Amino acid sequence: MESPMELVRRFCAGWSDNIPTVELAAFFTEDAIYHNIPQAPVTGRETIANTIDSFIRPGRPGIESIEFRVINIAANGPVVMTERVDVFRLSDKSFELEVMGTFEITDGKINAWRDYFDASQFTSRMG
């Protein structure tokens, strides 16, 4: 079985490769929690997939894709932390956002994912 760090690296690469939402959702346990702070957390693989679909929307003003550039990654057992620069691509521009992410791994799947970023930076860069 791959290590928690390897799993998170593969998950981040999946975003960068623009794999379908159903494939991203397969990384999660059925009862996983995704907390894109400061928004409210969502629970369950299907709800996480729907959340991802809600912000990856081709065409104006949607986000066409997001590349996860992992700057640093560290693990303590089943907990993996990432320092990332997420590159958001829209139909008419792209922008970068600094993000810290924490992943908790259970039985080879993501059971919890929390991302921390400056929401005002995201809003101003989205335009």
Side-chain angles (χ1 to χ4, degrees), residues 10-126:
R10 202 162 48 84
F11 177 71
C12 291
W15 279 89
S16 297
D17 293 340
N18 206 24
I19 67 173
T21 301
V22 67
E23 291 181 40
L24 290 172
F27 279 88
F28 294 91
T29 62
E30 281 294 329
D31 62 346
I33 298 170
Y34 169 44
H35 195 176
N36 199 19
I37 296 164
Q39 301 170 348
V42 295
T43 302
R45 181 185 294 153
E46 185 176 336
T47 306
I48 292 168
N50 292 338
T51 300
I52 292 169
D53 277 341
S54 76
F55 57 79
I56 302 292
R57 294 184 311 271
R60 288 189 55 87
I63 298 166
E64 306 247 340
S65 65
I66 306 171
E67 175 187 355
F68 284 14
R69 292 183 185 159
V70 177
I71 306 303
N72 288 296
I73 188 167
N76 184 11
V79 178
V80 180
M81 299 183 77
T82 59
E83 175 188 15
R84 304 188 321 260
V85 173
D86 291 0
V87 181
F88 292 79
R89 290 191 176 80
L90 287 68
S91 61
D92 59 347
K93 67 178 177 178
S94 66
F95 65 89
E96 297 181 351
L97 184 70
E98 295 78 15
V99 178
M100 292 294 294
T102 302
F103 300 83
E104 296 176 20
I105 311 303
T106 302
D107 297 327
K109 299 275 187 184
I110 299 168
N111 191 52
W113 174 24
R114 294 176 299 279
D115 267 351
Y116 303 84
F117 60 94
D118 185 329
S120 64
Q121 283 182 348
F122 176 80
T123 302
S124 69
R125 293 173 186 176
M126 272 295 285

